[in-house]
Amino acid sequence: LRLVAISANVRFFNTEMVPVLMAWKTMDILNKCLRIFMGSSSILLITLEFPEFFPFLQHNHPSQPTPPLYVSNWIPRGIFYLFLALVMFEQQVVVAFIDVKRHASTSSRFFDGIFMVISAAIMILVGMTYILLGMFCVQKIMERVRREEMERWDEYWEKLKKLEEEEDLEEEREWLLENGGELGQGDGKSIRSGAAAIGFKERWRKWR
């Protein structure tokens, strides 16, 4: 669903912003503002599809503040998709009227209309999918599975870290035992310094 939503928003953004860049001087200010608003909305929807990169959109841990429902919940998100699609359908009618008034070519009118209709239809499908999945609590199931997966990965990395620390300590102890005889020929300070170094490393790992 995320891939489909991103593809729909990219198509939506291109449909809105490409004409602005190509006809910036001849396009009226109201049409520019509307297209920029629609393009900005598609960028916002793309951002909402990547909550892992934005801490204020995450609510996988109880310690984190819960983001607003109108941002994180799938039902309001789907309604926003439908709103943008309906605006684009209305915009297509206005663009067709402007093309007729300016005596634009038939091919130009056709491509302007078909691109907007296709983009709006895809946005409607994505919006309806979000609303239906939100109504059947699929979002909560997905978030619970994602949270459990993150907990398992955290547990795995913690165990791996402890195992590496234990292996390092075991190697240091073996080194100390193997070289204990040679160090013992001295005054005993080398053995005490080696043991103190190991103890310092153990305390340093615990502090980390």
Side-chain angles (χ1 to χ4, degrees):
L1 180 59
R2 175 184 293 185
L3 180 61
V4 175
I6 294 172
S7 301
N9 281 288
V10 170
R11 178 186 292 273
F12 188 87
F13 179 83
N14 292 334
T15 303
E16 291 290 347
M17 297 307 298
V18 169
V20 175
L21 298 177
M22 296 180 63
W24 177 263
K25 295 181 179 180
T26 58
M27 187 177 294
D28 59 280
I29 186 66
L30 184 60
N31 198 4
K32 289 179 185 177
C33 293
L34 178 60
R35 287 181 177 272
I36 291 174
F37 166 75
M38 301 283 277
S40 303
S41 300
S42 63
I43 294 176
L44 174 62
L45 291 173
I46 292 175
T47 303
L48 296 178
E49 296 296 334
F50 296 95
E52 57 269 15
F53 297 115
F54 302 95
F56 63 92
L57 296 176
Q58 300 175 4
H59 48 91
N60 293 324
H61 298 284
S63 59
Q64 295 178 345
T66 303
L69 289 178
Y70 61 85
V71 172
S72 61
N73 191 272
W74 282 2
I75 296 178
R77 189 182 303 181
I79 294 173
F80 190 55
Y81 271 95
L82 296 181
F83 167 75
L84 293 179
L86 293 177
V87 172
M88 177 167 277
F89 275 125
E90 185 67 23
Q91 186 181 14
Q92 187 268 334
V93 176
V94 175
V95 170
F97 175 78
I98 294 175
D99 288 341
V100 172
K101 186 177 180 180
R102 293 180 178 177
H103 303 287
S105 62
T106 305
S107 60
S108 176
R109 288 193 303 236
F110 173 77
F111 285 110
D112 287 344
I114 196 65
F115 285 150
M116 298 183 78
V117 169
I118 292 175
S119 299
I122 296 175
M123 295 290 281
I124 285 181
L125 292 176
V126 174
M128 292 299 298
T129 304
Y130 268 122
I131 293 174
L132 292 176
L133 294 180
M135 291 174 62
F136 288 101
C137 301
V138 177
Q139 182 181 11
K140 293 183 179 180
I141 298 174
M142 185 201 70
E143 291 174 352
R144 178 171 54 83
V145 172
R146 184 180 298 173
R147 183 168 56 251
E148 292 175 354
E149 183 180 1
M150 291 178 62
E151 291 175 355
R152 286 196 296 268
W153 274 108
D154 292 339
E155 184 179 357
Y156 167 77
W157 289 117
E158 187 66 24
K159 289 182 179 180
L160 183 62
K161 182 180 178 181
K162 290 181 180 179
L163 182 61
E164 292 177 351
E165 292 176 354
E166 292 175 357
E167 291 178 353
D168 292 341
L169 289 175
E170 186 64 26
E171 291 177 358
E172 291 171 356
R173 291 192 182 96
E174 291 177 358
W175 179 88
L176 186 60
L177 292 174
E178 291 174 357
N179 297 274
E182 299 178 0
L183 295 174
Q185 296 177 0
D187 56 359
K189 292 183 179 180
S190 300
I191 297 177
R192 289 194 296 271
S193 62
I198 293 176
F200 173 76
K201 290 182 179 179
E202 290 178 351
R203 291 193 297 271
W204 170 252
R205 289 193 181 94
K206 291 180 180 179
W207 181 80
R208 287 191 301 173

